[in-house]
Amino acid sequence: MNIALVHDWLPFMGGAERVITNFLEVFEDAPIYTSVYNRDNLEGILKDANIYGSFLQNLKSARRDHRKFLPLMPTAFETFDLNKYDVVLSSSSSCAKGVVTNPNTCHICYCHSPMRYGWEFYYEYIENLGKFKKSIIKYIMNYMRIWDNASSNRVDYFIANSKNVANRIWKHYRRESVVIHPPVRSKFFKACEKKQDYFLIVSRLQEYKRVDLAIEVFNDLNIPLVIIGDGPLKEKLVNKVKRDNIKFLGRQPDDVVKKYYGEARGFLFPGEEDFGITSLEAQCSGTPVIAYGKGGALETIIDEKTGLFFEDHTVNSLKSAIDKFCKIEFNPNEIRAHAESFDEDIFKHKISNFVYDKVDEFKNNKKWVVL
């Protein structure tokens, strides 16, 4: 079986990049097609993978900030020639699913989310933009929504990373999907019973992650908060800090993140996520999670056993959850046992079975009738 992998972009490591890593472990030697990549920031087998960038790879500014080139992403993926492959397995939360394949190629899309900034989260993304930028973006997004919906028809089979995303795939594309939850590296993380006093956030610093809400709350609390991660909002978030109990560590290597996960008193997950792999990494470390009670968190956290939910994106709601959290005694081993059900070996087994089953189905489907 001649298979190609397609991924939105590879400028850094994150949850989606762990998925493409597992794909490559299942389908060894498969090439990866992506809009832009930075090999220096990649880890594990991705570092030496056979990666093909689009024409955007030739632009230094695109490699620095791919988000500015969103209007060119559809063209970037449509220019890849994938005709020689029997199977295309795309990993998409943006435009990767829009590659063009021939009628004999089976295209399976692992969908992390329909384009967040194009659909129901559009207003969150533009909320803090000026009037001029908003006026331009609304026309760009109109085009992107039309293309996003139309390109969903190029996919033969959809996999959703959660029930939450499966509902959104149906809403925006009117396509059915099978849910296979993303992988967590449970063997890498270890449960730690000797906890420190700090709470932890590990996140890209973007609008929808709602790190700003956590900072606002911890500005009023005499409890340490450690924030690991980088992103376009870093400077703005740093300027919101009013107390020295809040520390930004930037991006950190895996071993450092592992240590902070294990020793944290609790992990904060304040945004509405499609799934949310960091909350599972925390649970694999025996650390309970305080999460916003919507989206993928509802599929990964057991209320009052592996964490707590707060109901509203308000200071009072999150403060109340933290207060309740501090009165509960969580069991690190029980928390880890729950997270192990999302292990990457389970994920790879499910992906392999799904791909081979659907390729057989695709080949055997009668697509024409002779009269």
Side-chain angles (χ1 to χ4, degrees):
M1 184 171 68
N2 194 13
I3 184 169
L5 306 178
V6 184
H7 189 62
D8 289 319
W9 40 70
L10 285 167
F12 46 72
M13 294 298 294
E17 287 65 45
R18 301 296 178 195
V19 168
I20 201 74
T21 295
N22 279 181
F23 284 174
L24 196 55
E25 288 170 346
V26 174
F27 305 104
E28 298 177 8
D29 301 323
I32 300 173
Y33 291 82
T34 190
S35 57
V36 292
Y37 64 92
N38 185 341
R39 206 177 288 275
D40 291 339
N41 291 338
L42 301 181
E43 300 170 5
I45 61 174
L46 285 183
K47 208 166 187 66
D48 298 314
N50 188 13
I51 303 175
Y52 294 95
S54 72
F55 61 84
L56 294 176
Q57 183 66 22
N58 298 320
L59 305 176
K60 287 184 179 179
S61 52
R63 297 199 300 271
R64 281 197 304 270
D65 189 356
H66 59 276
R67 297 170 307 135
K68 293 179 180 178
F69 293 83
L70 180 63
L72 297 179
M73 290 286 180
T75 304
F77 283 99
E78 288 177 344
T79 54
F80 287 130
D81 181 0
L82 303 175
N83 280 328
K84 65 182 178 181
Y85 297 104
D86 305 312
V87 183
V88 167
L89 177 58
S90 61
S91 163
S92 182
S93 60
S94 183
C95 299
K97 75 176 191 324
V99 290
V100 177
T101 59
N102 69 50
N104 298 314
T105 299
C106 178
H107 181 181
I108 299 169
C109 175
Y110 188 89
C111 185
H112 303 277
S113 170
M115 200 179 287
R116 292 181 63 94
Y117 35 80
W119 301 102
E120 65 265 41
F121 293 97
Y122 165 72
Y123 297 100
E124 286 186 26
Y125 276 91
I126 68 168
E127 183 179 1
N128 297 316
L129 297 179
K131 186 179 293 186
F132 178 69
K133 282 188 176 180
K134 283 183 180 179
S135 65
I136 294 175
I137 286 175
K138 69 180 181 181
Y139 293 109
I140 294 173
M141 282 306 167
N142 180 60
Y143 154 70
M144 293 300 294
R145 289 187 196 101
I146 294 170
W147 181 88
D148 188 47
N149 180 277
S151 65
S152 69
N153 291 315
R154 300 174 188 175
V155 176
D156 297 299
Y157 303 99
F158 271 103
I159 304 171
N161 78 349
S162 62
K163 297 173 187 174
N164 174 46
V165 167
N167 289 334
R168 294 174 62 200
I169 290 171
W170 176 254
K171 174 68 176 179
H172 301 309
Y173 304 153
R174 285 296 188 263
R175 297 289 304 276
E176 293 182 348
S177 56
V178 170
V179 175
I180 300 178
H181 290 124
V184 63
R185 298 173 294 162
S186 64
K187 296 180 185 66
F188 178 75
F189 300 100
K190 303 294 181 185
C192 178
E193 296 189 10
K194 292 182 179 180
K195 298 293 186 182
Q196 304 295 323
D197 195 39
Y198 65 86
F199 283 79
L200 177 68
I201 291 175
V202 178
S203 175
R204 282 283 294 164
L205 303 181
Q206 294 175 292
E207 290 87 350
Y208 76 95
K209 301 289 188 177
R210 294 311 311 268
V211 178
D212 61 318
L213 176 62
I215 290 173
E216 195 173 349
V217 168
F218 277 79
N219 275 333
D220 293 337
L221 298 176
N222 191 27
I223 303 173
L225 172 64
V226 175
I227 301 170
I228 294 177
D230 206 345
L233 287 189
K234 183 174 182 179
E235 184 177 351
K236 182 178 179 181
L237 292 172
V238 169
N239 290 335
K240 281 182 172 287
V241 174
K242 297 177 181 177
R243 300 172 61 110
D244 59 7
N245 62 312
I246 303 173
K247 294 182 179 179
F248 285 83
L249 301 186
R251 285 185 64 83
Q252 294 292 326
D254 280 358
D255 285 339
V256 174
V257 177
K258 175 183 177 179
K259 180 178 184 294
Y260 275 96
Y261 269 138
E263 295 179 358
R265 181 180 186 179
F267 184 79
L268 293 182
F269 198 62
E272 181 178 347
E273 295 276 4
D274 308 313
F275 182 71
I277 200 67
T278 55
S279 76
L280 278 174
E281 291 178 342
Q283 291 173 77
C284 271
S285 308
T287 299
V289 181
I290 300 175
Y292 181 51
K294 286 188 178 180
L298 297 174
E299 299 175 49
T300 61
I301 298 164
I302 303 174
D303 196 30
E304 299 193 21
K305 281 197 171 183
T306 70
L308 283 178
F309 296 113
F310 66 98
E311 294 182 0
D312 303 304
H313 271 143
T314 63
V315 168
N316 287 338
S317 183
L318 180 51
K319 273 187 177 179
S320 296
I322 292 171
D323 183 59
K324 183 179 179 181
F325 177 94
C326 292
K327 296 173 184 176
I328 298 175
E329 189 171 333
F330 292 95
N331 185 319
N333 292 320
E334 285 184 4
I335 294 171
R336 176 173 169 80
H338 164 68
E340 285 176 335
S341 64
F342 297 88
D343 181 70
E344 60 184 351
D345 286 342
I346 296 171
F347 172 79
K348 288 188 284 188
H349 179 72
K350 289 180 178 179
I351 287 293
S352 179
N353 285 348
F354 184 89
V355 169
Y356 282 104
D357 286 348
K358 292 306 178 184
V359 168
D360 286 343
E361 180 181 300
F362 179 83
K363 289 178 179 177
N364 294 327
N365 273 350
K366 187 182 292 186
K367 303 175 184 69
W368 37 259
V369 174
V370 177
L371 298 179

